Amino acid sequence: MIEPHAPAPPGSPPSWGDACGPGESDGPSGPCEAGGPSDARGPGGPRGSEATARLPVRPAVGRFLVLAGVFVCAACGLVYELELVALASYLIGDSVTQASVVLSVMVFAMGLGSLAAKRLRGLAAAGFGALEAALALVGGSSAMVLYAVFAWTGGWGGLWADGPRVLLVAFSLAIGVLIGAEVPLLMELIQRVRRQDPGGAVADLFAADYVGALVGGLAFPFVLLPFLGQLTGALLTGTVNAAVGAALVLGLFRRDLTRRARWLLLAANVVVLALLATATVLADDFERAARQAVYGQDVRVAVRTDVQEVVLTGDTDGRPLDLFLDGRLRVRGSDERRYHEALVHPAMNGPHARVLVLGGGDGLAVREVLRHPGVRRVDVVELDPQLARLARHDPGLSALNEHAYGDARVHAGTGDAFHRLRSTPSATYDVVISDLPDPAVTASTKLYSQEFYGLLRRVLAPGGRLVVHAGPVSAHPRAFWTVDATLRAAGLPTVAYRVGARAPGSGPAAASEPGPTPGPDRTGAAPGAPRGWGFLLAARTPPVLRLDPAAPRPRTLTPDSLARDARDAARTRIPGLPPSTLVHPRY
């Protein structure tokens, strides 16, 4: 309900509307003249929630402009929030943890900001203008600063290894405080435009806020991220935030500000916009420099797909090719053969006419499968179609996988492995090779669940085998043996084995680490524990760990070394672990 003439509460000071009639507010000696008895103005504007703003437009238009400002500010605030969650997931890993940290800290900080803003209600216009300038600068630059800390200090080790995590919490706290402080000030401003009952004002304010949040939430994944990227998208959002905040205050509420306050606010916004514009112009150069700091000087391919960031380094001047996915080393050309031979060859001992490869879009597991005689069909299910396209057409990567995708027996498909298996007929495959990031990566957790392994058991033909890359057994024994317990719970007996890497953090197992430099071990493994790759061979009946005698001998694997690898893995067993399910993930 609109109550433009509602009386002030008993004991409250008279408002401008109550003390002055038409034309009296600007009189040379009227009581509402600036500095007069009823104008308790400070340096930033009028004090008291009962003051009616002197607007350059009609109240209805002014109210609409305030709600439009609420809409834009809410959209920008949610973009900052989603940008922090997404970037933290890319750089740090474990998206569930990072999202929980960002959301919980930000909501808590919003409460603190709302309480702090109570002291600024008397200076609502000036306070809101300063607040939006600060929010635009902090939120707009957050992605660039977070990426810079990750790129240039992530390899220093020690306390610096936690720099991105600390900075993530700091940005969440600062942005949350600034967003929370918006609401009391906007409530004050909308009431100054036209007096309204508190319930109606709250309803209008939050309706605009929630609709703006919807637009910001949809714009981030569908517009900003794919077309502008993390850095430019955040900087552009900050620019819009600063421009709208300044326009609302300096255009609509400029009469509430002293001349000095107007100039200070204008100067602050000019500085913020200049900084954001400069950062936007330099964003591409900054990203190249940061990428070189992370991956080295020989970055050859860097693409942002719909799923992840794919970077290829090396393969020039005799340097081995390395493949990074979202900043994590997935394939080291000098060491990948040890991993892929150990993954594929033990599972191929037996019938292997029909093979399914889950993940493995780089084509390296397929290369090893094709070495075995009798293979008639290989189906590859890769989530990222652009990675598979790169493996087919990039000269370095296609040479490393020996042009596996050019073989007529190979059929590559894209999509989610879980959904693909639900539509696959029973007993379709003799061998299933699960070449996926280890379960510590949140996006892969459902592909290490009892339900998923139940689907795999169904598609295995009689006598069929399944091999699973289950992460580094020495560094993460609890996660590894949870995969084992989950396979057994799905009716698939297992045998475990491990293969050591040549260098710490190298090869596909490094995908489980939070960035190129290994972070703190969550599983309690001793510092400096040997790192490598752990595998589980499973079947409907207890499998036998052997190499296929009819296939060419692997370069890095022998029957004796395979038996030794099985004994080494068995010594790390943790008994009694419960299985992981979709509704109760345990990794």
Side-chain angles (χ1 to χ4, degrees), residues 320-323 329 331-337 364 400 502 507:
L321 179 146
D322 292 341
L323 169 65
L329 185 60
V331 171
R332 184 184 292 277
S334 61
D335 213 22
E336 60 82 17
R337 194 173 295 274
L364 300 172
L400 189 62
R502 289 180 182 174

Side-chain angles (χ1 to χ4, degrees), residues 462-538:
R465 284 87 58 212
L466 160 68
V467 64
V468 176
H469 163 235
V473 59
S474 297
H476 296 251
R478 189 174 188 87
F480 179 89
W481 291 109
T482 297
V483 179
D484 177 82
T486 304
L487 282 163
R488 293 176 180 273
L492 293 167
T494 65
V495 59
Y497 61 104
R498 51 160 291 181
V499 175
R502 289 180 182 174
S506 65
S512 66
E513 304 299 342
T517 302
D521 192 349
R522 297 179 301 147
T523 58
R531 295 181 183 265
W533 308 292
F535 306 95
L536 291 162
L537 181 65

Side-chain angles (χ1 to χ4, degrees), residues 204-558:
D204 292 341
L205 189 66
F206 279 96
D209 185 82
Y210 293 150
V211 174
L214 171 66
V215 172
L218 295 177
F220 179 75
F222 295 116
V223 179
L224 296 178
L225 194 57
F227 294 105
L228 298 176
Q230 289 272 33
L231 304 185
T232 305
L235 291 167
L236 179 62
T237 302
T239 301
V240 172
N241 199 166
V244 170
L248 184 64
V249 174
L250 296 175
L252 192 61
F253 295 98
R254 62 179 180 271
R255 295 177 182 173
D256 280 13
L257 306 176
T258 63
R259 182 183 298 273
R260 181 184 179 189
R262 286 198 295 269
W263 280 108
L264 286 174
L265 191 57
L266 180 62
N269 278 277
V270 168
V271 170
V272 169
L273 290 172
L275 290 173
L276 294 175
T278 303
T280 303
V281 171
L282 299 176
D284 290 341
D285 293 335
F286 169 85
E287 190 171 356
R288 281 192 292 270
R291 188 179 291 122
Q292 289 180 352
V294 174
Y295 305 113
Q297 298 296 318
D298 55 346
V299 175
R300 188 167 55 80
V301 175
V303 294
R304 163 62 64 184
T305 73
D306 293 337
V307 178
Q308 59 201 341
E309 182 184 56
V310 180
V311 174
L312 287 175
T313 67
D315 194 43
T316 57
D317 300 330
R319 285 172 290 185
L321 179 146
D322 292 341
L323 169 65
F324 295 84
L325 302 180
D326 278 342
R328 295 171 181 82
L329 185 60
R330 185 75 173 103
V331 171
R332 184 184 292 277
S334 61
D335 213 22
E336 60 82 17
R337 194 173 295 274
R338 296 169 62 83
Y339 169 84
H340 289 101
E341 287 187 347
L343 173 70
V344 172
H345 288 274
M348 298 295 286
N349 181 36
H352 51 251
R354 300 161 298 172
V355 181
L356 172 65
V357 178
L358 302 175
D362 50 40
L364 300 172
V366 177
R367 176 197 67 195
E368 298 302 320
V369 169
L370 295 176
R371 298 191 190 282
H372 291 259
V375 173
R376 297 203 307 267
R377 181 183 178 97
V378 183
D379 289 333
V380 182
V381 180
E382 167 61 47
L383 182 62
D384 189 349
Q386 290 175 267
L387 175 60
R389 192 176 303 117
L390 192 66
R392 185 189 296 269
H393 298 293
D394 178 77
L397 190 54
S398 63
L400 189 62
N401 64 40
E402 298 178 6
H403 307 283
Y405 282 109
D407 194 297
R409 294 170 292 175
V410 177
H411 303 267
T414 58
D416 181 76
F418 201 103
H419 294 297
R420 168 67 180 269
L421 288 175
R422 296 186 71 177
S423 59
T424 301
S426 300
T428 300
Y429 296 105
D430 300 306
V431 180
V432 177
I433 297 169
S434 179
D435 185 17
L436 301 165
D438 80 54
V441 179
T442 303
S444 299
T445 299
K446 74 173 183 178
L447 304 182
Y448 288 84
S449 66
Q450 183 176 339
E451 293 85 348
F452 183 70
Y453 292 140
L455 293 174
L456 286 177
R457 185 178 188 276
R458 182 179 62 82
V459 303
L460 281 176
R465 284 87 58 212
L466 160 68
V467 64
V468 176
H469 163 235
V473 59
S474 297
H476 296 251
R478 189 174 188 87
F480 179 89
W481 291 109
T482 297
V483 179
D484 177 82
T486 304
L487 282 163
R488 293 176 180 273
L492 293 167
T494 65
V495 59
Y497 61 104
R498 51 160 291 181
V499 175
R502 289 180 182 174
S506 65
S512 66
E513 304 299 342
T517 302
D521 192 349
R522 297 179 301 147
T523 58
R531 295 181 183 265
W533 308 292
F535 306 95
L536 291 162
L537 181 65
R540 292 175 180 267
T541 57
V544 179
L545 193 63
R546 293 198 192 101
L547 297 177
D548 182 6
R553 180 62 58 87
R555 299 184 192 178
T556 65
L557 205 59
T558 66

Side-chain angles (χ1 to χ4, degrees), residues 93-102 168 442 522:
D94 192 358
S95 58
V96 170
T97 300
Q98 309 314 324
S100 300
V101 169
V102 171
L168 176 69
T442 303
R522 297 179 301 147

